[in-house]
Amino acid sequence: GAVVSQHPSWVICKSGTSVKIECRSLDFQATTMFWYRQFPKQSLMLMATSNEGSKATYEQGVEKDKFLINHASLTLSTLTVTSAHPEDSSFYICSASDQPQHFGDGTRLSIL
Amino acid sequence: TQLLEQSPQFLSIQEGENLTVYCNSSSVFSSLQWYRQEPGEGPVLLVTVVTGGEVKKLKRLTFQFGDARKDSSLHITAAQPGDTGLYLCAGGGLGNDYKLSFGAGTTVTVRA
């Protein structure tokens, strides 16, 4: 149980485009989902808390207009990286809270 | 923000040896999770500890939560190459303390 699916697993796109990443809880409902960013050989850095039916809560230093989060249902949250640039290249991971948190397999984003 | 210090940062051992990873904080946590992450994948939950002094065993892995709930350790007996990965401790994640605070991670390499 407690499976979290993240899609896509890998995306390469040109600078200036927007990229949407989906996070789904497959066998449970998640009022709260989380989005993390991870650089190579480093730990996870929380970007924002996604709340179903309300606005996301962003961590300090994370641009909310750059990283748009939508949590329209109890099983789906999306993260859209708008006008992506090479510095946005990273490994993005979502989690859904079934207390404890269960993580998706991550999305490797490469901006050329 | 509650901070978790994890040590060592890197650990390389020979198959069959034992290892211990430490996770320390100046703050009290209601719960603490240990995750293992392999390259290109999301973290996988290994254990949750909630009670001070608690010891949990998962095959060759032994997890201990400090009496004051400020520190934890992960001990692996007779390590195998399959134990290679990034080990992350994270405080919180349950109840009202639902956000996770991650340690910096310990990269464990077990050589055959």
Side-chain angles (χ1 to χ4, degrees):
Chain A
V3 177
V4 177
S5 173
Q6 195 170 334
H7 179 81
S9 57
W10 184 43
V11 59
I12 301 175
C13 60
K14 293 182 179 180
S15 182
T17 59
S18 293
V19 179
K20 180 185 283 189
I21 303 170
E22 293 186 349
C23 180
R24 295 181 185 273
S25 57
L26 297 187
D27 50 1
F28 65 100
Q29 294 182 330
T31 306
T32 305
M33 292 185 176
F34 302 88
W35 288 96
Y36 297 83
R37 186 173 181 175
Q38 185 177 33
F39 292 103
K41 305 266 186 205
Q42 294 187 24
S43 189
L44 281 69
M45 181 182 72
L46 180 64
M47 299 174 65
T49 302
S50 173
N51 304 297
E52 188 269 334
S54 64
K55 291 183 179 180
T57 304
Y58 290 82
E59 296 299 302
Q60 190 173 7
V62 178
E63 299 176 58
K64 62 180 180 180
D65 295 330
K66 174 75 170 177
F67 299 99
L68 300 179
I69 291 172
N70 184 277
H71 193 157
S73 78
L74 286 171
T75 58
L76 174 64
S77 175
T78 61
L79 168 69
T80 301
V81 184
T82 61
S83 187
H85 292 287
E87 58 266 28
D88 297 323
S89 298
S90 190
F91 193 53
Y92 292 87
I93 308 175
C94 73
S95 72
S97 183
D98 188 32
Q99 301 216 358
Q101 291 184 29
H102 297 275
F103 288 82
D105 277 341
T107 297
R108 181 155 306 284
L109 175 62
S110 297
I111 309 299
L112 304 177
Chain B
T1 303
Q2 297 170 312
L3 297 177
L4 280 166
E5 293 186 0
Q6 209 170 322
S7 63
Q9 187 176 359
F10 299 98
L11 197 54
S12 180
I13 61 171
Q14 201 70 32
E15 181 177 7
E17 295 181 339
N18 301 331
L19 69 94
T20 302
V21 179
Y22 299 93
C23 182
N24 297 292
S25 173
S26 58
S27 301
V28 175
F29 285 99
S30 58
S31 64
L32 192 138
Q33 277 74 232
W34 283 94
Y35 291 86
R36 190 179 81 155
Q37 184 182 24
E38 297 193 27
E41 299 181 8
V44 175
L45 179 67
L46 297 175
V47 77
T48 298
V49 286
V50 296
T51 305
E54 183 176 5
V55 177
K56 281 192 175 180
K57 292 193 175 183
L58 185 65
K59 296 184 180 178
R60 294 177 293 101
L61 278 61
T62 302
F63 305 87
Q64 188 163 5
F65 202 14
D67 291 341
R69 291 186 287 135
K70 292 183 179 181
D71 57 272
S72 181
S73 64
L74 157 61
H75 182 79
I76 301 179
T77 304
Q80 299 176 2
D83 296 324
T84 294
L86 177 66
Y87 288 83
L88 296 158
C89 67
L94 295 183
N96 293 329
D97 188 16
Y98 58 87
K99 288 171 67 172
L100 285 176
S101 297
F102 276 93
T106 297
T107 299
V108 172
T109 304
V110 182
R111 304 184 304 274

